[in-house]
């Protein structure tokens, strides 16, 4: 009230000091602000925005009034078996009360607030209590005011007729409106009247929802549906008959089908791979709907279809994290991640933040990479935390700290750990691209070994709880300098863990090995995609070369769980599934792009597949374990290898010599000494300067 009084005084002062026209405007604004409720003002704004709203509402009211009148007459006619019964003529005075009570009930119960084009079973069920109330009110009116009483069975018949009439009118209005919107969309998009002949694979709930969503999309003309379940064959999915998948070739010929929509959000990856390969071989475009997780979270709608990508087909089914293990090492902790702008580092940042870290320190020496992941994380915070804008900036500052620095700078790392109370350090910074490392051996060794030494020393000196090294499958019996350098990094961590176990205090140190991840920098998948976009050729080093593949989110999820189960010194190995032949991967990507492979078997193909020979230091296949005596852990996809390692004194002496060689930039000498540190490594010295990145 005090606020209102002050506002009134201000307005009176304004009225005394302004013109008559201005006073009139101010007075009208005061009346609107004090007398008109906020919801009503919002309705007025919507009416101004949509000039056709009132005519459309009046049309719906007129249709419903007609249904009420026809239902009233039909109830008498059916009950008395006469076209114009005497009792109906005597009850004609009830028509006006019927219209007033009926339309008032529908209006006040917000029946007309729904979108006609989205009318479904849920909204139609809402008619039952509304029409029941109309009948009760009319019955009470006739009883109270002494009007003629129709037969008792009339009321039940009347309720059924007006309910059915209103439902039918809404369905007709919905379908007519959808048809009109479809025609308008066709005109706007310039689409053909029939759209592209499309087959839906999957007649379950997902297929039903997809078909509903696509009814207004002029790009698709859904002509058939198939499903693997024999119980659904020859039944109807709305207007479509569900067929046996074996009839697909016949359906393609009969309906001219050009594309397939996979309505299988919960299907196994192997099944989707099989279907995509089969349909691409038939020359069909293959689209897929979002996953169940995307649908459940609301991030995507059913109709947000996309072309099947190779990432959808590679790898295995996503694993389920063990209860409590995923967040154990990061929840309410301050975490420092080196190499935060890289493929693995950036995903580590996303998941650590999502798991409830108290604070996240992002360290990278690439300004662009650090800026990119920092901005992305800020957006994630802004969309997930429902706070005022004034609080959002402070929450970003408290949660995130981007640090532009070299992970090999031990002083900076120790300052960060002490000043911010870091609990865990995940060391992901490293040079990992095999041909580039082969061409720049000393620079790669300085970075990989130097950063690991600095990060490990900082973790020990500052009393951190955990230290986790991101390693690689190329550290197993390495044939290249990158893999050998990572094996040497593992030895550093193993020696540190042994010393910590002896003295009884220090961080829990562990290492996690895994193979190729999809979409990472240097991965063959983006390279093949670029080559296909350029028209080829697609280059593969060897017809027999194989690699393990895992999605980046799954790899990071397993890394965090392995870190949480570490007790000190473990070399964790992730189960990467089955290896993939790279030549087969290249063929699949070419086919998914809608092109044919040009090779010895098909010389008239569109994109050529070339084999260029193994690059320096490249393996035909990757191994994940040095010894076969690996041990199981509490997680079925994480195993543990207890590797033999060089003593700390011997390793330190060799590393001192290696640092001197690195300073002199002698790549050949560096590789020879690296072979002494990692005996399994047999360098090819004559190929050092022939690396082809």
């Amino acid at each position: 009230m005090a606020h209102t009084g002050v506002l009134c005084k201000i307005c009176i002062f304004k009225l005394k000091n302004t013109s008559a026209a201005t006073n009139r405007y101010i007075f009208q604004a005061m009346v609107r602000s004090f007398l008109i409720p906020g919801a009503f003002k919002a309705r007025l704004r919507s009416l101004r925005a949509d000039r056709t709203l009132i005519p459309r509402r009046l049309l719906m009211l007129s249709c419903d009034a007609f249904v009420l009148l026809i239902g009233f007459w039909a109830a008498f006619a059916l009950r008395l078996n006469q076209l114009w019964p005497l009792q109906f003529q005597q009850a004609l005075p009830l028509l006006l009360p019927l219209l007033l009570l009926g339309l008032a009930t529908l209006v006040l119960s917000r029946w007309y607030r729904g979108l006609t084009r989205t009318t479904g079973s849920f909204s139609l069920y809402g008619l039952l209590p509304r029409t029941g109330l109309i009948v009760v009110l009319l019955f009470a009116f006739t009883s109270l005011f002494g009007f003629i009483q129709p037969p008792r069975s009339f009321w039940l018949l009347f309720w059924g007729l007006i309910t059915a009439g209103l439902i039918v009118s809404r369905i007709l209005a919905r379908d007519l409106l959808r048809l009109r919107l479809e025609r308008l969309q066709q005109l706007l998009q310039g689409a053909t009247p029939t759209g592209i002949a499309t087959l839906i694979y999957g007649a379950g709930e997902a297929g039903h929802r997809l078909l509903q969503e696509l009814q207004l999309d002029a790009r698709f003309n859904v002509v058939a549906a198939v499903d693997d379940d024999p119980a659904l064959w020859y039944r109807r999915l709305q207007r479509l008959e569900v067929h046996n998948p074996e009839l697909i070739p016949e359906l393609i010929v009969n309906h001219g089908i050009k594309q397939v929509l996979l309505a299988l959000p919960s299907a196994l990856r192997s099944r989707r791979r099989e279907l995509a390969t089969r349909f691409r071989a038939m020359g069909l475009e293959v689209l897929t709907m979002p996953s169940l997780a995307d649908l459940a979270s609301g991030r995507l709608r059913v109709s947000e279809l996309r072309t099947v990508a190779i990432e959808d087909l590679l790898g295995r089914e996503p694993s389920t994290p063990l209860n409590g293990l995923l967040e154990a090492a990061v929840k309410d902790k301050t975490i420092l991640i080196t190499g935060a702008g890289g493929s693995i580092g950036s995903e580590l940042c996303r998941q650590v933040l999502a798991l409830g870290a108290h604070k996240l320190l992002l360290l990278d020496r690439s300004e662009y990479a650090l800026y990119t992941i920092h901005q992305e994380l800020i957006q994630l915070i802004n969309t997930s935390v429902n706070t005022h804008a004034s609080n959002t900036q402070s929450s970003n500052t408290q949660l995130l700290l981007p640090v532009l620095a070299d992970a090999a700078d031990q002083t900076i790392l120790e300052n960060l750990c002490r000043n911010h109370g870091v609990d865990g350090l995940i060391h992901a910074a490293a040079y990992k691209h095999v041909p580039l490392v082969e061409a720049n051996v000393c620079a790669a060794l300085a970075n990989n070994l130097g950063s690991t030494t600095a990060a490990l020393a900082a973790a020990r000196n500052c009393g951190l709880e955990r230290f986790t090294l991101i390693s690689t499958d190329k550290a197993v019996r390495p044939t290249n300098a990158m893999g050998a350098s990572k094996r040497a990094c593992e030895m550093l961590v193993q020696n540190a863990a042994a010393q910590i176990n002896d003295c009884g205090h220090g961080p829990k140190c562990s290492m996690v090995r895994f193979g190729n991840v999809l979409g990472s920098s240097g991965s063959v998948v983006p390279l093949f995609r670029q080559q296909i976009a350029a028209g080829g050729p697609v280059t593969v080093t060897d017809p027999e070369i194989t690699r393990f593949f895992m999605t980046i989110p799954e790899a990071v999820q397993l890394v965090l769980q392995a870190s949480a189960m570490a007790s000190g010194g473990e070399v964790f190995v992730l189960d990467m599934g089955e290896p993939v032949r790279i030549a087969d991967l290249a063929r699949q990507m070419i086919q998914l792009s809608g092109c044919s492979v040009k090779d010895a078997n098909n010389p008239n193909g569109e994109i050529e597949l070339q084999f260029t020979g193994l690059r320096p230091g490249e393996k035909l296949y990757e191994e994940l374990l040095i010894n076969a005596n690996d041990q199981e852990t509490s997680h079925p996809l994480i195993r543990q290898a207890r590797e033999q390692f060089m003593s700390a004194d011997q390793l330190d002496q060799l590393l001192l010599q290696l640092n001197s060689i690195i300073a002199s930039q002698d790549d050949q000498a560096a590789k020879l000494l690296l072979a002494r540190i990692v005996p399994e490594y047999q360098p090819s010295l004559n190929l050092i300067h022939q690396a082809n990145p």
Side-chain angles (χ1 to χ4, degrees):
M1 293 298 293
H3 173 75
T4 304
V6 172
L7 186 59
C8 289
K9 290 178 182 179
I10 294 173
C11 292
I12 291 171
F13 174 79
K14 288 284 186 182
L15 290 171
K16 289 180 179 179
N17 294 278
T18 52
S19 63
T22 305
N23 289 343
R24 191 181 309 112
Y25 175 80
I26 294 174
F27 179 74
Q28 291 173 352
M30 290 174 59
V31 171
R32 284 197 300 269
S33 63
F34 284 106
L35 300 182
I36 302 178
F40 186 65
K41 287 190 283 187
R43 295 296 300 154
L44 288 177
R45 285 195 296 270
S46 68
L47 289 175
R48 295 192 192 102
D50 187 357
R51 302 292 183 181
T52 66
L53 183 61
I54 292 179
R56 286 190 282 112
R57 292 284 169 83
L58 290 176
L59 178 61
M60 298 303 296
L61 280 168
S62 301
C63 291
D64 292 344
F66 178 74
V67 170
L68 291 174
L69 295 177
I70 291 297
F72 190 76
W73 163 78
F76 275 107
L78 292 174
R79 171 63 183 82
L80 301 174
N81 200 23
Q82 297 179 23
L83 186 61
W84 194 255
L86 178 61
Q87 284 184 288
F88 170 71
Q89 299 175 39
Q90 294 172 343
L92 286 176
L94 284 174
L95 293 181
L96 182 59
L98 168 63
L99 292 178
L100 293 175
L101 292 172
L103 297 180
T105 299
L106 295 175
V107 171
L108 295 176
S109 64
R110 299 185 176 185
W111 169 244
Y112 298 102
R113 295 289 295 274
L115 292 172
T116 303
R117 65 177 178 272
T118 62
T119 299
S121 57
F122 181 79
S123 56
L124 293 178
Y125 287 146
L127 268 175
L128 299 177
R130 289 180 170 93
T131 53
L133 181 59
I134 293 172
V135 172
V136 170
L137 291 175
L138 187 62
F139 176 78
F141 184 84
T142 59
S143 301
L144 289 174
F145 295 100
F147 281 84
I148 183 174
Q149 286 288 343
R152 291 183 179 179
S153 57
F154 162 84
W155 297 107
L156 184 60
L157 191 59
F158 176 52
W159 174 72
L161 287 171
I162 62 173
T163 301
L166 290 175
I167 289 176
V168 170
S169 69
R170 282 302 179 276
I171 293 175
L172 288 174
R174 178 197 66 188
D175 293 345
L176 289 173
L177 182 59
R178 284 181 174 178
L179 182 61
R180 177 174 175 270
L181 292 174
E182 185 178 347
R183 295 291 172 81
L184 288 174
Q185 192 176 37
Q186 289 174 358
L187 292 175
L188 292 174
Q189 295 180 349
T192 60
T194 57
I196 300 175
T198 303
L199 169 74
I200 287 184
Y201 199 108
E205 178 62 25
H208 171 69
R209 290 173 59 188
L210 181 59
L211 186 57
Q212 281 186 316
E213 291 276 351
L214 296 182
Q215 285 179 345
L216 297 179
D217 197 324
R219 297 171 300 168
F220 301 95
N221 176 30
V222 183
V223 296
V226 298
D227 197 279
D228 295 326
D229 186 359
L232 298 178
W233 296 348
Y234 310 113
R235 300 179 69 179
R236 291 258 169 199
L237 180 67
Q238 296 187 24
R239 59 184 174 81
L240 299 177
E241 183 176 341
V242 180
H243 297 278
N244 184 336
E246 294 180 358
L247 299 177
I248 289 177
E250 182 180 336
L251 294 172
I252 293 174
V253 174
N254 294 340
H255 299 283
I257 294 171
K258 300 297 182 183
Q259 64 184 4
V260 178
L261 309 183
L262 299 182
L264 304 168
S266 60
L268 297 177
R269 194 183 301 267
S270 57
R271 178 59 176 159
R272 293 199 299 271
R273 176 165 56 242
E274 175 190 342
L275 292 174
T277 304
R278 174 186 174 191
F279 292 136
R280 285 305 319 166
M282 294 179 178
L284 302 177
E285 180 75 14
V286 184
L287 303 179
T288 184
M289 63 185 294
S291 66
L292 287 177
D294 288 331
L295 295 175
S297 64
R299 292 191 295 268
L300 296 174
R301 295 176 56 194
V302 173
S303 58
E304 294 187 58
L305 300 163
R306 57 180 176 80
T307 304
V308 173
I310 195 64
E311 290 84 351
D312 299 317
L313 308 181
L314 285 178
R316 48 145 182 267
E317 306 309 315
S319 60
T320 303
L322 296 183
N323 290 333
L325 188 61
L326 185 58
E327 65 273 9
V330 298
K331 186 174 178 60
D332 299 325
K333 307 283 188 182
T334 298
I335 305 298
L336 168 61
I337 298 176
T338 66
S343 306
I344 298 296
S346 58
E347 181 62 24
L348 278 166
C349 293
R350 296 183 195 101
Q351 294 198 25
V352 167
L353 188 65
L355 290 169
H358 172 69
K359 190 169 187 176
L360 180 59
L361 282 65
L362 324 168
L363 188 142
D364 205 292
R365 68 182 184 185
S366 168
E367 181 185 28
Y368 175 74
L370 184 62
Y371 173 80
T372 301
I373 184 60
H374 184 233
Q375 292 301 308
E376 179 186 338
L377 296 178
I378 287 176
Q379 292 298 320
L380 289 176
I381 294 173
N382 291 343
T383 55
S384 62
V385 180
N386 187 18
T387 58
H388 297 293
S390 59
N391 295 330
T392 302
Q393 184 63 37
S394 62
S395 67
N396 292 339
T397 305
Q398 293 170 3
L399 279 174
L400 300 175
L401 178 64
V403 181
L404 189 62
D406 190 341
D409 193 325
Q410 183 178 334
T411 302
I412 290 179
L413 294 178
E414 290 191 10
N415 288 338
L416 289 172
C417 291
R418 290 194 175 98
N419 295 339
H420 299 279
V422 173
D423 299 298
L425 194 159
I426 303 177
H427 182 45
Y431 289 153
K432 305 183 184 75
H433 194 268
V434 171
L436 283 177
V437 170
E438 287 297 313
N440 302 273
V441 175
C442 287
L445 293 177
N447 180 76
N448 293 359
L449 289 168
S451 62
T452 302
T453 301
L456 192 55
R460 297 183 66 180
N461 294 341
C462 299
L464 271 59
E465 294 179 10
R466 295 181 185 275
F467 175 89
T468 304
L469 171 69
I470 303 299
S471 189
T472 172
D473 57 354
K474 294 176 178 63
V476 182
R477 283 184 281 276
T479 59
N480 52 70
M482 191 280 285
S485 72
K486 294 300 288 183
R487 177 60 191 136
C489 292
E490 290 181 354
M491 290 182 180
L492 285 170
V493 180
Q494 287 175 300
N495 275 308
Q499 294 170 1
I500 291 169
N501 289 335
D502 292 339
C503 66
H505 64 274
K508 295 178 180 178
C509 299
S510 61
M511 300 136 277
V512 185
R513 289 178 185 161
F514 53 92
N516 298 276
V517 288
L518 290 171
S520 66
S521 58
S523 169
V524 296
V525 172
L527 174 62
F528 287 171
R529 195 169 280 134
Q530 293 173 5
Q531 292 175 337
I532 292 170
V538 174
T539 56
V540 179
T541 56
D542 192 278
E544 301 301 321
I545 192 168
T546 62
R547 289 293 181 267
F548 294 97
F549 284 97
M550 180 185 286
T551 64
I552 295 178
E554 184 185 10
V556 167
Q557 189 182 92
L558 293 173
V559 165
L560 293 175
Q561 293 178 87
S563 177
M565 66 173 66
S567 59
E570 296 92 347
V571 178
F572 291 111
V573 182
L574 304 187
D575 183 350
M576 300 290 295
E578 296 298 322
V580 176
R581 193 185 299 271
I582 301 301
D584 294 342
L585 169 64
R587 290 188 177 91
Q588 280 189 318
M589 290 188 65
I590 293 172
Q591 292 170 351
L592 284 175
S593 71
C595 301
S596 58
V597 180
K598 181 181 180 181
D599 56 14
N601 297 326
N602 183 23
N604 297 321
E606 298 167 282
I607 294 182
E608 185 179 2
L609 183 61
Q610 288 184 354
F611 297 101
T612 59
L614 290 175
R615 296 173 295 186
E618 190 172 32
K619 290 182 176 182
L620 270 180
Y621 58 92
E622 303 292 356
E623 304 168 88
L624 289 182
L625 290 174
I626 291 179
N627 297 314
N629 59 345
D630 59 315
Q631 302 173 9
E632 294 183 352
T633 67
S634 57
H635 197 293
L637 299 182
I638 302 175
R639 304 182 74 82
Q640 178 183 338
R642 293 198 177 274
E643 309 290 1
Q644 299 297 321
F645 54 93
M646 187 180 295
S647 67
D649 292 339
Q650 186 179 1
L651 181 61
D652 289 343
Q653 291 178 2
L654 291 174
L655 288 178
L656 283 175
Q657 297 177 39
L658 183 61
N659 288 335
S660 299
I661 293 174
I662 290 173
S664 65
Q665 292 293 301
D666 189 340
D667 283 357
Q668 292 195 17
K671 295 181 78 171
L672 286 173
L673 188 55
L674 187 59
R676 292 174 60 190
I677 298 173
V678 184
E680 300 87 359
Y681 172 50
Q682 299 296 325
S684 301
L685 297 179
N686 59 324
L687 294 177
I688 289 177
H689 300 294
Q690 300 178 20
N692 182 23

